């Protein structure tokens, strides 16, 4: 019998290194934005989920500072004990108004929102069907729930319908899970078709709007608005940490759902409430999204500019299908992806390699922001030509 119960750690780390799956943090210095300082080098930032460039906005920082001055740095307890502030309710009302739902509930992170919601609404007598490319938080929530967990091929409605035809009648409840924007590919879920199937088979549908909130839809309400599905019966989950430039997560839906989650979602009940600073910053961001549609317009102008340049100058670059500010191109293996990411970095472009097990095939992920300038995008394409060819 081994004498050191932790000896396996070094062996496992060596295996991760051999597979080129090893990861380490990279320190960003100073305020985030379209350009950042990384290890002493100024680089153009194509790695951020700060789609509208709000993280460094003076108005968000002023709102956060004012909230700290009034309420302190922390919420001091769970929302059901000492942690509830009027700011929290104000943010929830703003989210519900944006999403045009009856109510909303704010969690301390998007990950916690997914885990708490899924484990609250289904259990061991139930069935979950989940897109195979869903975010880790959806998958782990499904596993923790104890429900029977089945994945369907990415965006494959035909297979999903077949699975429901064969299995739905055997379970008390059924929950379909999907990202709205798939963060490592950039494509969108077939939401209208999913809603139709959910209605046909008496299923609940949970849509994670993490990468769509603030970005998609006429008013930036997300993929649900983009597809004209506002007001439909479904559960919307999202994050405050991407286009809204803050931290935290939310669930938006019926008043009955929100009331139920306040009594049954463990990651809300037993977690300290979102800090006043984060809450105030998110609330300020929602107001900016509503009042400044030109930010979203500029983001999409940047997306179209990059796509046009790539089509003209790198016609053989095999981009994954995308209807979002996320553009990815695949490479044959993790080694090649790491090499490409390093070459981009050396040339002043921060667009890191994404590798298994995060994705099934290695790739470079490019994420656009409203604050990118045309020159930033043009330099990216110029550098890509030296890296790819």
């Amino acid at each position: 019998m081994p004498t050191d119960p932790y000896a396996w750690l070094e062996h496992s780390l060596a295996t991760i290194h051999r597979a080129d799956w090893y990861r380490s943090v990279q320190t960003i210095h100073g305020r985030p934005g379209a350009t950042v300082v990384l290890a002493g080098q100024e680089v153009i930032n194509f790695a951020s989920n700060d789609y509208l460039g709000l993280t460094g906005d003076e108005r968000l920082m002023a709102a956060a500072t004012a909230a700290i001055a009034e309420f302190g740095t922390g919420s001091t307890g769970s929302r059901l004990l000492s942690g509830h502030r009027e700011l929290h309710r104000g943010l929830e009302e703003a989210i519900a108004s944006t999403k045009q739902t009856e109510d909303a509930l704010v969690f301390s992170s998007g990950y916690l929102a997914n885990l708490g919601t899924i484990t609250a609404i289904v259990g061991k007598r139930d069935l979950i069907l989940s897109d195979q490319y869903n975010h880790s938080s959806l998958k782990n929530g499904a596993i923790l729930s104890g429900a029977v967990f089945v994945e369907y091929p990415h965006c494959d409605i035909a297979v999903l319908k077949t699975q429901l035809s064969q299995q739905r009648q055997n379970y008390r409840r059924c929950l379909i899970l999907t990202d709205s924007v798939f963060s490592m590919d950039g494509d969108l879920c077939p939401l209208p078709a999913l809603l139709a199937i959910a209605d046909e088979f008496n299923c609940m549908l949970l849509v994670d709007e993490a990468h769509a909130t603030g970005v998609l839809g006429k008013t930036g309400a997300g993929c649900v608005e983009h597809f004209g599905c506002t007001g439909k019966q479904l559960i919307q989950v999202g994050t405050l940490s991407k286009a809204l430039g803050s931290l935290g997560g939310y669930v938006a839906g019926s008043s009955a759902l929100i009331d139920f989650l306040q009594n049954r979602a463990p990651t809300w009940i037993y977690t300290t409430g979102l800090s006043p600073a984060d809450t105030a910053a998110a609330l300020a961001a929602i107001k900016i999204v509503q009042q400044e549609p030109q930010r979203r317009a500029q983001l999409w102008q940047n997306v179209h500019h990059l796509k046009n340049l790539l089509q003209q100058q790198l016609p053989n670059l095999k981009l994954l299908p995308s209807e979002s500010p996320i553009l990815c191109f695949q490479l044959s293996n993790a080694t090649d992806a790491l090499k490409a990411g390093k070459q981009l970095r050396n040339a002043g472009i921060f667009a890191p390699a994404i590798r298994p097990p995060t994705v099934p095939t290695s790739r470079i992920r490019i994420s656009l922001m409203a604050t990118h300038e045309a020159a930033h995008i043009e330099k990216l394409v110029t550098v890509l030509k030296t890296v790819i060819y």
Side-chain angles (χ1 to χ4, degrees):
M1 180 177 293
T3 57
D4 182 359
Y6 303 100
W8 63 274
L9 288 169
E10 293 296 337
H11 173 76
S12 293
L13 282 168
T15 301
I16 293 169
H17 276 286
R18 284 195 300 271
D20 281 325
W21 287 10
Y22 185 77
R23 291 159 173 79
S24 59
V25 298
Q26 302 183 79
T27 302
I28 302 286
H29 299 277
R31 190 179 299 183
T35 62
V36 293
V37 176
L38 188 61
Q41 178 190 14
E42 184 172 330
V43 293
I44 304 172
N45 183 12
F46 289 103
S48 174
N49 295 324
D50 183 19
Y51 299 113
L52 299 179
L54 289 176
T55 302
D57 191 280
E58 297 285 350
R59 291 164 292 180
L60 269 68
M61 291 189 286
T65 302
I68 290 173
E70 182 174 359
F71 299 106
T73 57
S75 293
T76 76
S78 70
R79 294 272 300 278
L80 289 175
L81 292 177
S82 63
H84 181 70
R85 304 289 183 273
E86 60 256 39
L87 273 176
H88 293 124
R89 191 58 198 148
L91 177 56
E92 288 164 348
E93 289 172 349
I95 292 169
S97 176
T98 298
K99 290 289 187 177
Q100 297 186 44
T101 57
E102 291 179 353
D103 208 347
L105 188 65
V106 170
F107 287 69
S108 295
S109 76
Y111 210 109
L112 292 177
N114 273 327
L115 262 61
T117 301
I118 295 168
T119 55
I121 63 177
V122 289
K124 61 183 179 181
R125 292 188 288 163
D126 304 319
L127 172 67
I128 292 176
L129 292 170
S130 173
D131 190 293
Q132 70 177 124
Y133 285 5
N134 277 342
H135 189 267
S136 166
S137 58
L138 291 171
K139 294 185 178 187
N140 284 338
I143 293 167
L144 288 171
S145 74
V148 173
F149 174 43
V150 179
E151 291 189 318
Y152 60 89
H154 181 50
C155 291
D156 195 325
I157 295 299
V159 171
L160 173 61
K161 189 167 185 177
T162 298
Q163 291 171 331
L164 283 166
S165 298
Q166 295 172 346
Q167 301 185 59
R168 174 65 185 95
Q169 67 274 13
N170 299 323
Y171 298 93
R172 177 187 59 170
R173 299 181 197 135
C174 179
L175 174 64
I176 300 171
L177 299 176
T178 187
D179 284 330
S180 62
V181 176
F182 292 91
S183 62
M184 292 299 146
D185 295 78
D187 57 339
L188 308 184
C189 74
L191 184 60
L194 289 171
L195 278 165
I197 285 180
D199 183 62
E200 180 181 354
F201 289 94
N202 190 30
C203 300
M204 297 178 288
L205 174 62
L206 186 151
V207 179
D208 187 338
E209 291 268 62
H211 292 266
T213 302
V215 173
L216 285 166
K218 184 179 180 180
T219 69
C223 200
V224 174
E225 181 182 55
H226 170 78
F227 279 116
C229 297
T230 302
K232 301 288 186 181
Q233 193 172 28
L234 75 164
I235 301 165
Q236 299 183 58
V237 180
T239 180
L240 310 171
S241 64
K242 296 179 172 50
L244 299 182
S246 182
L247 180 68
Y250 68 82
V251 179
S254 69
S255 56
L257 170 70
I258 300 307
D259 196 16
F260 178 80
L261 291 177
Q262 287 179 324
N263 286 275
R264 284 291 183 266
T267 59
W268 187 83
I269 297 169
Y270 302 110
T271 301
T272 298
L274 192 65
S275 78
D278 292 320
T279 306
L283 187 53
I286 290 174
K287 292 177 181 176
I288 293 171
V289 169
Q290 293 169 344
Q291 296 168 2
E292 298 181 6
Q294 64 269 24
R295 280 183 174 267
R296 194 161 50 259
Q298 182 61 57
L299 171 64
W300 285 106
Q301 183 176 323
N302 288 345
V303 172
H304 298 319
H305 185 42
L306 177 57
K307 284 185 173 181
N308 289 336
L309 287 178
L310 290 174
Q311 188 175 18
Q312 294 164 11
Q313 300 185 35
L314 285 163
N316 295 324
L317 185 67
K318 295 181 180 178
L319 289 174
L320 294 174
S322 172
E323 300 170 76
S324 73
I326 302 164
L327 300 178
C328 301
F329 61 91
Q330 291 182 334
L331 291 148
S332 57
N333 53 60
T335 302
D336 287 348
L338 287 170
K339 180 181 177 182
K342 184 176 181 179
Q343 289 174 324
L344 288 167
R345 167 82 173 276
N346 290 340
I349 300 292
F350 184 33
I354 308 296
R355 296 159 285 154
T358 302
V359 290
T361 54
S362 296
R363 65 201 61 186
I364 295 294
R365 179 184 185 270
I366 299 164
S367 181
L368 287 157
M369 299 167 60
T371 47
H372 279 131
E373 300 172 4
H376 295 151
I377 295 168
E378 289 154 12
K379 180 174 180 180
L380 168 64
V381 175
T382 299
V383 173
L384 277 174
K385 286 190 289 186
T386 68
V387 171
I388 302 304
Y389 293 128

